[in-house]
Amino acid sequence: MRRPLVIGHRGAPGYRPEHSRSSYDLALEMGVDAVEPDVVLSKDGVLVVRHENEISGTTDVAARPEFADRRTTKNVDGVALTGWFTEDFTWDELATLRCRERLPEVRPTSATFDDRQPVLRLRDVLDLVRDASLAQGREIGVVLEIKHATFMASLGFDLAAIVHDDLRAAGWAAGEWPLVVESFESSILFALQDRGLPARYVYLLEAAGKPFDLIAAHGDDAPTYASIAAPAGLDALAGRVDGISVDKRMLLAPDRFGRATDRSRIVADAHERGLQVFTWTCRPENPFLLKQFQGPGGKAAFGDYESEWALIADAGVDGVFVDHADLGVRFFRDGLTSSGRAPSS
């Protein structure tokens, strides 16, 4: 079985609220090869580590009366969202907020850590990873996902400049520390390449829809994610990026009943063109598994995740994003099941 890079997706959010200090600390302690912070912007241009710029589900902002008047509705990447948005707060204000579990019905244990830990900046996570690398005597990487670049540009932010400057100030822009930059929008990747940022560049691809930056530029003529993942689309990416990162459904290719079928050729097609392939997100709980791998016990229970993960490993991917860092390291890197045996596939 291929040994892909094991990436702690937002830290270890299977056990702690995503993007919290303890989530990252736990992932690093559990031995991941890299961690993945998502970044959005504050009103004063600070890179904030949140999965989305709308933060009502991942912080205590909705319970803070002093911020009640900041609730609003915005169109973000073509979708109307109502809530509280990072770009309407200064960093000093965001720093007063506390992290909350996004999926308490699935991860009730993680929810017991609600309201204990502050929101982090990108700089905070970079420092955590550097310190862990030095303490553990091993190289640990950062897979930096840049969110909503076109939307942020519409607000007047030069996101490429902000990201580059932040990485340089943190000592991560000289190629000394392993860095991957990824986004669902290729334009921000190319803008950072033009600035000479030494990193590997990975283009995130959804299972459906179109990249918003290309919709903004080309309207209805924008290519779909599916066409980008097809051989002709991969031909165009070769030499421009180092790899792609795909929704795991694109590898498992489930039928209309949610059962795995013959896996697609995306990995082989990408490898033939010198592109690496990452996939997201490997989670053990029932709601995130194909139907054939779900089991009893409800939403919070683990299904037969190892059988699904074996299909992903067999596809030959170069990197996997995991929510439960210990399970991901054990299965994908150490080649062991929960029983301590090697997978049968």
Side-chain angles (χ1 to χ4, degrees):
M1 185 174 69
R2 189 184 188 93
R3 299 291 184 261
L5 195 72
V6 179
I7 304 158
H9 181 240
R10 311 174 201 167
Y15 304 110
R16 301 290 188 274
E18 65 185 38
H19 290 314
S20 65
R21 168 68 185 263
S22 65
S23 182
Y24 285 106
D25 282 343
L26 192 58
L28 294 166
E29 291 169 8
M30 289 176 167
V32 295
D33 300 304
V35 294
E36 184 240 16
D38 303 300
V39 292
V40 293
L41 281 169
S42 69
K43 185 177 183 178
D44 47 349
V46 175
L47 289 169
V48 183
V49 179
R50 289 285 91 192
H51 178 234
E52 295 292 343
N53 56 330
E54 200 291 292
I55 54 173
S56 61
T58 60
T59 73
D60 64 345
V61 67
R64 301 288 292 275
E66 68 269 34
F67 298 134
D69 62 349
R70 308 282 179 95
R71 187 174 186 268
T72 188
T73 298
K74 298 188 180 188
N75 189 294
V76 181
D77 295 357
V79 178
L81 299 173
T82 298
W84 287 261
F85 297 82
T86 58
E87 65 270 14
D88 295 331
F89 295 79
T90 66
W91 166 246
D92 286 344
E93 290 174 325
L94 291 170
T96 69
L97 300 179
R98 295 297 179 262
C99 300
R100 286 188 174 180
E101 170 55 46
R102 183 172 59 90
L103 302 168
E105 72 283 2
V106 178
R107 294 169 175 170
T109 300
S110 176
T112 65
F113 293 87
D114 282 358
D115 301 340
R116 299 187 189 183
Q117 302 167 80
V119 172
L120 301 176
R121 303 165 297 175
L122 174 61
R123 179 64 182 269
D124 299 322
V125 175
L126 296 175
D127 288 347
L128 286 176
V129 175
R130 179 190 289 107
D131 290 347
S133 295
L134 295 173
Q136 297 180 26
R138 65 186 183 96
E139 199 172 68
I140 307 172
V142 167
V143 180
L144 172 61
E145 182 178 347
I146 301 173
K147 307 300 291 269
H148 307 303
T150 299
F151 173 78
M152 293 300 173
S154 74
L155 302 178
F157 292 108
D158 185 346
L159 190 52
I162 293 170
V163 170
H164 186 259
D165 290 349
D166 220 39
L167 290 169
R168 184 170 54 192
W172 280 76
E176 180 181 358
W177 300 92
L179 175 66
V180 175
V181 180
E182 62 177 7
S183 179
F184 287 103
E185 301 180 50
S186 59
S187 56
I188 187 65
L189 301 181
F190 300 153
L192 284 165
Q193 288 175 347
D194 290 343
R195 288 181 169 273
L197 178 67
R200 285 189 294 157
Y201 291 87
V202 171
Y203 194 4
L204 283 158
L205 303 179
E206 295 269 18
K210 300 179 178 183
F212 187 73
D213 59 334
L214 300 185
I215 292 174
H218 305 292
D220 292 341
D221 293 330
T224 64
Y225 283 116
S227 69
I228 295 169
L234 295 175
D235 284 340
L237 292 180
R240 294 301 312 273
V241 296
D242 298 288
I244 58 174
S245 184
V246 301
D247 186 322
K248 68 177 184 178
R249 292 175 295 173
M250 298 168 72
L251 305 179
L252 297 170
D255 62 19
R256 63 191 181 91
F257 300 107
R259 298 172 302 201
T261 60
D262 290 340
R263 292 177 293 289
S264 74
R265 282 193 48 84
I266 291 176
V267 176
D269 288 341
H271 284 171
E272 287 173 4
R273 291 157 176 82
L275 297 168
Q276 290 192 316
V277 181
F278 294 176
T279 192
W280 44 275
T281 301
C282 293
R283 297 170 168 129
E285 297 104 337
N286 279 322
F288 308 116
L289 300 173
L290 295 182
K291 289 182 179 179
Q292 71 191 88
F293 301 124
Q294 294 174 9
K299 290 182 177 181
F302 290 4
D304 183 15
Y305 67 91
E306 290 175 343
S307 291
E308 182 177 284
W309 291 8
L311 296 179
I312 292 170
D314 288 347
V317 296
D318 302 284
V320 293
F321 292 86
V322 300
D323 278 7
H324 295 70
D326 55 341
L327 303 184
V329 167
R330 172 186 284 269
F331 188 89
F332 288 107
R333 195 176 69 208
D334 297 340
L336 300 173
T337 67
S338 57
S339 65
R341 298 190 299 270
S344 59
S345 61

